[in-house]
Amino acid sequence: MTPTTDGGRLITGPMLILFAALVTLPFWVQSVGLYQYLGVEVAIWMIYALGFNLLLGYGGLPSFGHGAFLGVGAYAFGLAQFHVLENLWVGLLAAILVGIVAGGIVGLFLAHRRGIYFALLTVAFGQVFWFVSLKWFSVTGGEDGLLGIPRPSADFGLVEFDLSSNLSLYYFTLAVLMIVVVALWRLVHSPFGKVVRAIKQNETRASFLGYNVRLYKWAVFTLSATTAALAGGLFAMAQQSAFPDVMNLVSSGTIVMMVLIGGGFVSFWGPVIGVTVFFVARDVIGSITETWLLWFGLMFMLSVLFKPEGVAGLWQDSSGESPA
Amino acid sequence: MALFEAQHLHKRFGDQVVLEEINLSFEAGQLSGIMGPNGAGKTTCFNLLTGLYKPDRGQITFGTENITGLPPHTIAQKGIARSFQIINLFDEYSVLENVVIALPRVRDHGFTCHRALTNDSETADRAANVLAQVGLAGREHENAADLSYGDRRALEIALAIAAEPRLLFLDEPTSGVGTEGTARLTELIESLKERYTIVIIEHDMRFLFEVADRISVIHWGQVIAEGTPDELRTNKWVQASNLGKLV
Ligand SMILES: Nc1ncnc2c1ncn2[C@@H]1O[C@H](COP(=O)(O)OP(=O)(O)O)[C@@H](O)[C@H]1O
Ligand SMILES: [Mg+2]
């Protein structure tokens, strides 16, 4: 709360460390036995995870159907390319707008729920979206999904970047990630962010202080869904396709595990750490044994049982830092 | 005309009628006390007046406005604040953050996303002022959860007065604190009396009869007696119920 803390800053030390690590990633990723496209995936999942943690870590609202919004964003990006205009900004804007609409509508049904009722409804809505994507063949292409989605270049008027190579695609998604990090850091330290965290701690008291709890919960849900949809748009752009699988329970469940292992409840950086742990597990443990997901699952169980504050919590314990 | 009025309030939970017929009125600038035995429905009455429950019948007016059935946040925005009998704080937040969240100037900009709350010295000043009033100055950066019970009681009141209310409801503010804590809190309430219109539920009769301008006694779901402390001392209902023996 004092003006000297990081909360008031636009850019912070940990941000610079993250950005430095990611900006240099293409130069060292192959020397540690990994590959360029991994960076794209990591950046996209970090966006998704940061938006997810806005809801879980800051709002205390567990969504087990968030993959729906990732998927909605992916389809919106693809459909905009096919039916509106083959343009990167149009596609990403479509993902964001559809995210706002889908999140906003689902949020109406969720904003006055808490705990298990909230969680179960998110599962149900997630299934509804998945089912629609599977059955609404004329729009979504059913099980086959949308194939051959174009990946237009990033046109800034004066300069235009071709995104067909993995490297340029990576730097583009990284730029989006940086914007999301800065914006969400600002958001969680803004009056809105503080109110959302207050509501998580004590809904009743917040409402007796004059806060319209439902409206705040709706807003934070919609924001989180929109961030997921943006990540989904980037995903469709990167993969040049969109499938019902993006919306399934796996991508909804994986994000929960990532964010919890990383320590989303105690740190802004929890989701970033969690995504890193997940991809290291997938690609490093995965190169040794096919049962990597089992090991990741075990890690998740151990975390839930012994250290619900996750990796960020371990870090804070050892360095004596207070939660950020 | 009274600042706040409740007429013919009726509330039941399932088959249990808790409040049969409650009529209350509170004057601006006064400290009104509410007493009655445990389970009489005093807290339920506050819950109706501040919007947690809708009354099954009756009308509540604040100023000239009918506020019956409005949700808590709307009633709070109109200038009614309350504290809770069971302490109700933001336990992950520091003492300062608890108070800051309660300030109307933060509430009125609750949807501001683009600037940090920390960069605002006016907010910090107001919060410090509230904390000084309740004797928590210098404790800004302690966790609310780590405070002693007595200090949590003080913070509970701080949240209510941080809202800069036109009317302040306090539900058993000294409940559960020892003799020493009670002395401190009663001193605090006496000082608040100068600045706020207060309605207080209080089990310490000696204290209530000392500070209250008027007292209402709730029993059997009704206001069985109402008047100045002096009037109440001689009231037959108060003497008949053993509340009279306490004073
Ligand atoms: N939400 C509720 N649901 C059911 N019964 C309740 C509820 N709130 C209060 N009561 C009942 O109403 C009665 C009055 O309680 P309360 O208002 O807390 O009394 P007081 O504050 O005077 O001690 C009690 O019998 C209590 O069990
Ligand atoms: Mg009570």
Side-chain angles (χ1 to χ4, degrees):
Chain A
M1 276 286 163
T2 45
T4 49
T5 57
D6 270 1
R9 300 217 184 112
L10 195 60
I11 309 282
T12 66
M15 279 188 210
L16 292 177
I17 295 170
L18 173 73
F19 296 160
L22 290 177
V23 164
T24 57
L25 179 129
F27 304 105
W28 50 261
V29 69
Q30 276 160 325
S31 60
V32 295
L34 299 169
Y35 48 95
Q36 291 293 358
Y37 185 75
L38 177 63
V40 177
E41 268 183 300
V42 165
I44 290 172
W45 276 86
M46 281 180 180
I47 294 170
Y48 180 27
L50 282 162
F52 181 80
N53 197 45
L54 193 61
L55 195 61
L56 182 68
Y58 289 89
L61 299 168
S63 169
F64 295 99
H66 237 48
F69 302 109
L70 192 72
V72 157
Y75 282 106
F77 183 91
L79 292 170
Q81 302 305 303
F82 290 141
H83 303 301
V84 182
L85 185 68
E86 205 181 299
N87 176 292
L88 185 70
W89 310 125
V90 169
L92 291 178
L93 195 67
I96 289 172
L97 288 178
V98 173
I100 292 173
V101 172
I105 291 173
V106 173
L108 289 178
F109 293 89
L110 295 173
H112 56 292
R113 309 273 172 191
R114 356 181 176 187
I116 187 76
Y117 300 102
F118 179 93
L120 287 177
L121 268 178
T122 60
V123 174
F125 274 109
Q127 290 299 88
V128 168
F129 277 92
W130 175 76
F131 192 75
V132 169
S133 71
L134 209 57
K135 297 294 171 192
W136 198 8
F137 192 85
S138 59
V139 173
T140 63
E143 255 176 89
D144 300 335
L146 301 177
L147 297 174
I149 297 174
R151 192 196 287 168
S153 54
D155 186 353
F156 291 93
L158 293 175
V159 277
E160 190 172 342
F161 296 98
D162 176 56
L163 298 183
S164 52
S165 80
N166 277 341
L167 194 64
S168 54
L169 177 67
Y170 171 67
Y171 280 114
F172 180 77
T173 48
L174 179 56
V176 178
L177 171 64
M178 286 181 181
I179 293 168
V180 168
V181 166
V182 172
L184 287 182
W185 178 262
R186 198 36 34 143
L187 183 95
V188 302
H189 293 96
S190 71
F192 178 76
K194 291 287 183 180
V195 173
V196 166
R197 254 187 84 195
I199 289 172
K200 167 195 162 196
Q201 295 167 62
N202 192 337
E203 242 183 83
T204 307
R205 189 67 193 235
S207 68
F208 279 97
L209 291 175
Y211 293 102
N212 185 344
V213 168
R214 278 191 197 188
L215 196 57
Y216 281 92
K217 281 173 138 184
W218 176 84
V220 76
F221 187 86
T222 305
L223 260 169
S224 173
T226 304
T227 313
L230 170 65
L234 291 169
F235 196 62
M237 174 190 80
Q239 301 262 326
Q240 300 195 267
S241 57
F243 298 104
D245 268 3
V246 181
M247 316 209 164
N248 68 10
L249 280 174
V250 177
S251 69
S252 297
T254 309
I255 196 71
V256 180
M257 292 204 274
M258 287 177 177
V259 168
L260 285 180
I261 285 189
F265 275 122
V266 296
S267 170
F268 178 82
W269 298 108
V272 167
I273 297 168
V275 169
T276 310
V277 171
F278 177 84
F279 282 101
V280 166
R282 192 190 73 177
D283 289 351
V284 177
I285 304 178
S287 67
I288 306 163
T289 161
E290 273 179 29
T291 58
W292 70 272
L293 195 53
L294 178 70
W295 293 106
F296 186 74
L298 269 176
M299 236 189 300
F300 174 67
M301 280 175 57
L302 290 175
S303 167
V304 168
L305 287 173
F306 300 109
K307 195 69 199 165
E309 300 87 6
V311 178
L314 287 173
W315 170 269
Q316 284 170 1
D317 288 353
S318 64
S319 66
E321 253 180 71
S322 63
Chain B
M1 206 200 117
L3 174 65
F4 188 100
E5 228 160 3
Q7 286 165 325
H8 312 301
L9 289 188
H10 180 90
K11 180 69 189 173
R12 63 176 157 260
F13 294 106
D15 286 343
Q16 186 197 7
V17 175
V18 175
L19 300 176
E20 179 65 52
E21 162 87 11
I22 295 284
N23 295 289
L24 289 166
S25 99
F26 309 123
E27 300 288 336
Q30 291 203 335
L31 191 151
S32 312
I34 291 180
M35 55 187 259
N38 262 335
K42 305 181 295 297
T43 297
T44 303
C45 186
F46 266 23
N47 286 341
L48 293 182
L49 303 183
T50 57
L52 185 62
Y53 305 131
K54 287 185 175 58
D56 299 317
R57 282 202 301 272
Q59 179 169 314
I60 303 164
T61 36
F62 180 44
T64 54
E65 218 173 336
N66 179 357
I67 59 166
T68 321
L70 295 180
H73 66 91
T74 312
I75 291 179
Q77 286 167 8
K78 293 185 189 297
I80 295 179
R82 72 172 286 183
S83 76
F84 292 82
Q85 183 176 357
I86 296 163
I87 293 177
N88 215 343
L89 302 172
F90 303 109
D91 279 331
E92 290 175 24
Y93 273 169
S94 67
V95 169
L96 180 63
E97 286 171 311
N98 265 275
V99 172
V100 163
I101 260 321
L103 295 172
R105 62 194 318 273
V106 172
R107 178 186 72 206
D108 295 344
H109 297 102
F111 282 98
T112 300
C113 297
H114 62 278
R115 87 183 144 71
L117 185 55
T118 46
N119 291 345
D120 181 347
S121 65
E122 172 74 22
T123 300
D125 289 348
R126 295 211 181 190
N129 180 287
V130 170
L131 289 172
Q133 286 186 54
V134 301
L136 287 173
R139 313 283 298 278
E140 280 83 353
H141 299 292
E142 288 178 40
N143 279 331
D146 298 340
L147 296 181
S148 70
Y149 186 80
D151 286 336
R152 282 168 65 77
R153 274 271 160 232
L155 186 57
E156 176 67 38
I157 296 172
L159 259 63
I161 61 174
E164 297 159 21
R166 285 163 61 205
L167 177 58
L168 179 58
F169 286 100
L170 300 175
D171 192 350
E172 305 214 14
T174 64
S175 144
V177 296
T179 337
E180 216 171 293
T182 307
R184 168 189 170 189
L185 289 169
T186 51
E187 200 178 305
L188 165 61
I189 290 155
E190 274 167 0
S191 75
L192 295 179
K193 193 185 159 180
E194 318 284 303
R195 266 163 292 161
Y196 301 97
T197 303
I198 300 178
V199 183
I200 188 169
I201 299 175
E202 180 53 64
H203 59 271
D204 183 340
M205 295 307 145
R206 235 173 293 275
F207 170 62
L208 194 59
F209 274 72
E210 215 170 278
V211 296
D213 298 303
R214 294 192 79 80
I215 296 174
S216 305
V217 183
I218 294 182
H219 205 351
W220 303 300
Q222 306 184 25
V223 179
I224 57 162
E226 202 276 327
T228 64
D230 282 340
E231 287 165 355
L232 281 191
R233 266 184 253 270
T234 57
N235 183 286
K236 66 180 167 79
W237 285 104
V238 177
Q239 291 186 331
S241 69
N242 47 35
L243 288 165
K245 293 189 188 116
L246 295 166
V247 294

